[in-house]
Structure formats: structure tokens, C-alpha cells
């Protein structure tokens, strides 16, 4: 992971984001939502901390991962609710507390930021609000075109596998179809933690890609730093 040349040459260099992504995924995948006790709340609190750290280091990618995490928690909640009809109230209380634990961890990483803002009239927060609510881009520069964003996004496997772009896409698609067929035929059994990993990978892909394609402000090449982590985990799953 850390042999990528861009980690040592990018002026905007969120090089800790890949490591924090792996730690975040670890806590999310290995948290047992059904097992009682304080451990799962601590794990979700730590997951919130690392999610917040990713946003602090690499806000564009971090926001995509944050959305993916929320989708992951929501799907896990709905799945438990669907399969355990007789414990709906307990599941609702449990997931509410888990979500609060995650939120507290996330907010903890922004305490220095809020303290700084209190001393400086909340100017950065005003800029963020103006950026989000603006109907058009607030930066007077043009970033990558949507086609270039797609190419940047899907070129990660070719960098990882050291293959031409089209060949790497063909390899990944073929492997995905093959594994999906094996799972469908029940020749391959996917374990619970592997299901969680797959859910995180898929939700991360869609969240990050959708965020970059719909962004009103320019998207640059350095925004794609850390994305190889998701592809590496996807290749690992296959």
C-alpha cells in the first residue's frame, strides 16, 4: 500500500487515510451487533474516532467513507430487524445506542476544530455552510471532467495489478461474475464477516463515486488517494 509513489510526492498528502481506513473497517466488520456487553459500544466509539480522523485528513474521501459507514450500519440494523421479529424493541434500543457511540467518537475528533472556531468567530464553518448551500461551485477553477473521474476511479485496479486499464477491468469483472456464480450455486459459502466486508466495499464504491460525480466543486487527482484500499479489499474478497 505505502509503495505508491503518490504518497511521497503529493503536496496534499493524506497518507494516514489508508491506514485509518483499514482500522475503521476492522472495527466495523468484527463488531458483533448481537452479542451483549460494553465491547461492541467501545468498538463503535473507536470506529467513530477513525471515521472522524479520515475526514480530518482527507475530507472528500472521508465523507464518502462516512456515508458508506452509515449505509453499512443501516443495512445491519434492517437485517437484524427482519430476522428477529420478536425482539424489535431491544434491537431498536441497541442500534440507537450503537449509533450514538459511533457519533460520539466522530464528534471527539472535531473537538480541536470547534475550539479553534470558537476563538475565530466560526469563520470556517460559515465557509462550509456557504459551500454546501451554494447552487453552483464556489471555487473558480474547473477540475476533472466526469469521464476523467470515472477513469481515475476505475484505474486503481490497473495500478495495483500492474496491468493495462482494459485488461484489469476485464480480470476484475470476470472474477466477480465467477465468484457470484459460485455463491449462487452454493459451492462457496460466504461467512458473516465476509458479508460485512462485501457490504462495506460495495457501499464505499457507490458512496465515493456518487459524491465525486455530483460534487459542485472541482475534483482533482489527489482526491483519489486511499481509494486503492477499497479495491485491495475487493480483490482480497474475490
Amino acid at each position: 500500500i505505502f509503495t505508491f509513489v503518490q504518497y511521497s510526492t503529493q503536496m496534499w498528502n493524506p497518507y494516514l487515510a489508508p491506514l485509518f481506513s483499514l482500522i475503521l473497517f476492522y472495527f466495523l466488520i468484527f463488531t458483533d451487533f448481537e452479542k451483549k456487553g460494553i465491547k461492541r459500544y467501545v468498538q463503535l466509539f473507536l470506529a467513530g474516532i477513525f471515521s472522524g480522523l479520515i475526514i480530518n485528513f482527507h475530507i472528500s474521501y472521508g465523507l464518502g467513507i462516512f456515508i458508506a459507514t452509515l449505509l453499512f450500519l443501516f443495512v445491519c440494523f434492517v437485517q437484524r430487524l427482519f430476522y428477529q421479529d420478536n425482539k424489535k424493541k431491544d434491537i431498536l434500543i441497541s442500534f440507537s445506542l450503537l449509533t450514538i457511540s459511533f457519533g460520539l467518537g466522530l464528534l471527539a475528533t472535531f473537538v480541536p476544530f470547534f475550539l479553534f472556531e470558537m476563538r475565530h468567530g466560526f469563520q470556517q464553518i460559515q465557509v462550509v455552510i456557504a459551500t454546501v448551500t451554494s447552487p453552483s461551485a464556489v471555487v473558480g477553477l474547473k477540475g476533472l471532467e466526469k469521464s476523467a473521474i470515472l477513469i481515475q476511479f476505475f484505474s486503481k485496479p490497473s495500478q495495483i495489478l500492474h496491468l493495462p486499464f482494459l485488461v484489469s477491468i476485464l480480470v476484475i469483472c470476470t472474477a466477480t461474475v465467477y465468484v457470484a456464480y459460485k455463491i449462487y450455486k452454493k459451492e462457496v459459502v460466504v461467512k458473516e464477516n465476509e458479508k460485512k466486508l462485501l457490504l462495506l466495499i460495495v457501499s464505499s464504491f457507490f458512496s465515493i463515486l456518487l459524491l465525486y460525480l455530483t460534487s459542485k466543486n472541482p475534483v482533482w487527482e489527489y482526491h483519489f488517494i486511499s481509494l486503492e484500499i477499497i479495491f485491495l479489499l475487493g480483490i482480497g474478497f474475490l
Side-chain angles (χ1 to χ4, degrees):
I1 294 167
F2 295 103
T3 59
F4 273 72
V5 176
Q6 59 187 343
Y7 288 132
S8 58
T9 59
Q10 286 282 355
M11 181 171 68
W12 306 101
N13 194 353
Y15 60 90
L16 286 173
L19 178 61
F20 291 162
S21 298
L22 288 174
I23 297 172
L24 170 65
F25 276 36
Y26 172 83
F27 283 124
L28 292 174
I29 291 168
F30 290 102
T31 296
D32 190 339
F33 295 111
E34 296 185 17
K35 192 174 182 180
K36 294 182 179 181
I38 196 172
K39 182 179 179 180
R40 56 181 176 168
Y41 299 109
V42 173
Q43 287 175 311
L44 260 294
F45 177 78
L46 292 172
I49 285 178
F50 283 98
S51 179
L53 288 174
I54 295 169
I55 295 173
N56 276 275
F57 274 93
H58 194 356
I59 187 168
S60 53
Y61 167 82
L63 286 173
I65 292 295
F66 173 68
I67 295 169
T69 302
L70 293 182
L71 285 173
F72 170 82
L73 293 173
F74 176 74
V75 172
C76 289
F77 167 68
V78 171
Q79 185 183 28
R80 281 197 64 196
L81 208 60
F82 180 77
Y83 285 110
Q84 298 182 23
D85 294 335
N86 59 330
K87 297 181 179 179
K88 285 186 177 180
K89 185 178 179 181
D90 292 340
I91 294 171
L92 184 60
I93 293 172
S94 172
F95 262 84
S96 297
L97 293 173
L98 287 169
T99 305
I100 291 170
S101 298
F102 177 81
L104 289 173
L106 182 77
L107 288 173
T109 63
F110 286 93
V111 169
F113 171 77
F114 286 123
L115 290 174
F116 179 87
E117 285 293 275
M118 287 173 64
R119 290 175 60 89
H120 296 86
F122 299 98
Q123 294 182 26
Q124 291 185 91
I125 291 177
Q126 292 174 30
V127 171
V128 171
I129 294 172
T131 301
V132 173
T133 56
S134 174
S136 59
V138 297
V139 179
L141 296 170
K142 189 175 181 180
L144 297 173
E145 298 287 346
K146 294 192 185 304
S147 58
I149 290 174
L150 289 169
I151 291 172
Q152 281 287 330
F153 189 91
F154 289 106
S155 66
K156 289 297 181 180
S158 68
Q159 296 176 27
I160 294 168
L161 300 173
H162 298 281
L163 292 172
F165 178 80
L166 292 177
V167 175
S168 66
I169 295 297
L170 182 62
V171 168
I172 295 294
C173 289
T174 303
T176 302
V177 171
Y178 177 76
V179 171
Y181 176 77
K182 288 289 187 181
I183 293 172
Y184 174 74
K185 287 291 186 179
K186 297 183 179 179
E187 295 177 21
V188 172
V189 178
V190 183
K191 299 175 182 177
E192 187 62 31
N193 286 341
E194 291 170 340
K195 290 179 182 177
K196 288 183 178 180
L197 173 61
L198 181 60
L199 176 58
L200 275 171
I201 292 168
V202 172
S203 58
S204 297
F205 277 152
F206 282 104
S207 297
I208 295 170
L209 187 59
L210 184 65
L211 185 68
Y212 287 7
L213 288 174
T214 58
S215 174
K216 293 176 291 187
N217 287 299
V219 175
W220 307 104
E221 288 186 9
Y222 72 84
H223 288 152
F224 294 88
I225 294 177
S226 301
L227 186 61
E228 60 274 1
I229 291 298
I230 314 299
F231 280 99
L232 280 167
L233 291 172
I235 292 169
F237 176 84
L238 292 174

